[in-house]
Amino acid sequence: MRGLLLFCALCSAFAASAETLRIGFGTDKPPYIFEAERRGLELEIVVEAAKRAGITVEPFFAPLERLHYMQERGELDGIATTRPQSGLKAFFSRPYIEYHNVAAALAERHLEIKTIADLGKYSVSAFQRARKMLGPEFEAMAAKNPAYREEAQQIARNRLLFGGRVDVIIGDRRIIEHFTGSISRQIDVHKAVTWYEIFPSTPYHVGFRDDAVRHRFDQGLSLLRKSPDYEAIEKRYQRPVK
């Protein structure tokens, strides 16, 4: 009985010490973020890692540019899906996930894209802050390309591609394929797509305002990776790549 009481006391103490942090996530980008359902591969990894550090995550969803602005104003405790190269002033966690970005174009256009620099010849639509996230070569291309643009909404890039309004879109292949299915009733998506594998995989971090919180999150992430739960989360969102 005394052991049970001690256990309950420890649980109560842990619950009392747990804190809630407001963490910013980008807008809807399945399978990583299902905004309306407040779930997704990326969201679950961050939540579970934080939980192991005694932290409760209160997710907030907005375009990346807005999230950066909010964190600078002290309105968020951290931002997910970011990198030290983003320009955000923060304490960055260890990588918790990798995206596999590609360039995608309609096959009928027969574009010659072998390097990132080759994108400079075409109209390009990418995700917000891609110019900072995807390395110096991509940033240089974006700066020199008058036909380069970034979209706050991931689905907008798919509409631009299949509507013939841009030559190339940039993004994670799983996200692009998901939204291709989502817009199939709005626009013809049956045209073949060529995938250009010109980017290395991109590791993403959480950028925290507080270094001590970042350290605790890293410890929780380490515990999550050592448990079977990390793989279980990944399996829930696995989808065969075409």
Side-chain angles (χ1 to χ4, degrees):
M1 183 66 178
R2 294 167 77 184
L4 178 60
L5 290 173
L6 177 60
F7 176 76
C8 292
L10 288 172
C11 289
S12 297
F14 178 80
S17 65
E19 58 185 303
T20 298
L21 299 182
R22 196 181 196 206
I23 304 297
F25 294 86
T27 52
D28 202 40
K29 49 179 178 180
Y32 300 99
I33 301 290
F34 292 86
E35 184 179 349
E37 301 168 38
R38 301 175 76 84
R39 67 178 183 89
L41 172 59
E42 184 174 348
L43 179 59
E44 288 193 30
I45 289 173
V46 172
V47 168
E48 288 299 319
K51 185 186 296 183
R52 284 160 173 75
I55 298 168
T56 298
V57 170
E58 177 188 327
F60 177 84
F61 304 97
L64 280 174
E65 293 288 357
R66 183 182 173 193
L67 294 179
H68 277 240
Y69 176 73
M70 290 179 68
Q71 177 135 327
E72 289 172 0
R73 290 171 55 91
E75 297 171 6
L76 294 171
D77 298 299
I79 297 176
T81 331
T82 188
R83 308 181 71 202
Q85 298 91 329
S86 69
L88 179 70
K89 294 180 180 178
F91 297 98
F92 292 92
S93 73
R94 293 173 183 165
Y96 66 91
I97 200 167
E98 286 189 349
Y99 278 41
H100 298 276
N101 291 301
V102 296
L106 296 181
E108 64 187 27
R109 298 205 175 190
H110 304 289
L111 303 187
E112 291 290 332
I113 302 174
K114 296 181 180 179
T115 68
I116 291 173
D118 289 339
L119 295 171
K121 300 180 290 185
Y122 306 109
S123 58
V124 178
S125 173
F127 52 90
Q128 277 193 339
R129 301 193 78 81
R131 64 194 182 281
K132 296 290 186 182
M133 301 276 199
L134 295 179
E137 187 179 0
F138 188 86
E139 185 174 12
M141 180 282 301
K144 295 177 183 177
N145 186 348
Y148 175 81
R149 57 192 287 178
E150 294 181 356
E151 315 299 333
Q153 301 294 327
Q154 304 276 342
I155 197 170
R157 288 177 291 122
N158 289 64
R159 294 192 180 109
L160 291 170
L161 176 67
F162 286 100
R165 294 167 58 193
V166 296
D167 297 316
V168 185
I169 63 173
I170 306 296
D172 179 87
R173 180 165 177 170
R174 287 193 285 188
I175 296 175
I176 293 172
E177 289 187 325
H178 178 91
F179 280 124
T180 295
S182 298
I183 65 172
S184 61
R185 294 188 178 182
Q186 306 165 14
I187 193 169
D188 181 11
V189 297
H190 294 97
K191 294 180 179 180
V193 172
T194 300
W195 305 95
Y196 300 92
E197 306 279 351
I198 57 174
F199 300 99
S201 60
T202 307
Y204 282 107
H205 314 246
V206 182
F208 291 99
R209 293 183 65 231
D210 185 271
D211 190 31
V213 172
R214 187 273 310 165
H215 179 68
R216 287 171 55 198
F217 178 84
D218 279 348
Q219 291 179 321
L221 179 61
S222 179
L223 291 173
L224 176 62
R225 287 189 181 277
K226 292 175 182 176
S227 77
D229 295 335
Y230 190 97
E231 185 177 353
I233 294 170
E234 286 190 317
K235 285 184 176 179
R236 277 201 291 276
Y237 295 98
Q238 272 183 353
R239 176 179 175 178
V241 177
K242 297 178 182 178

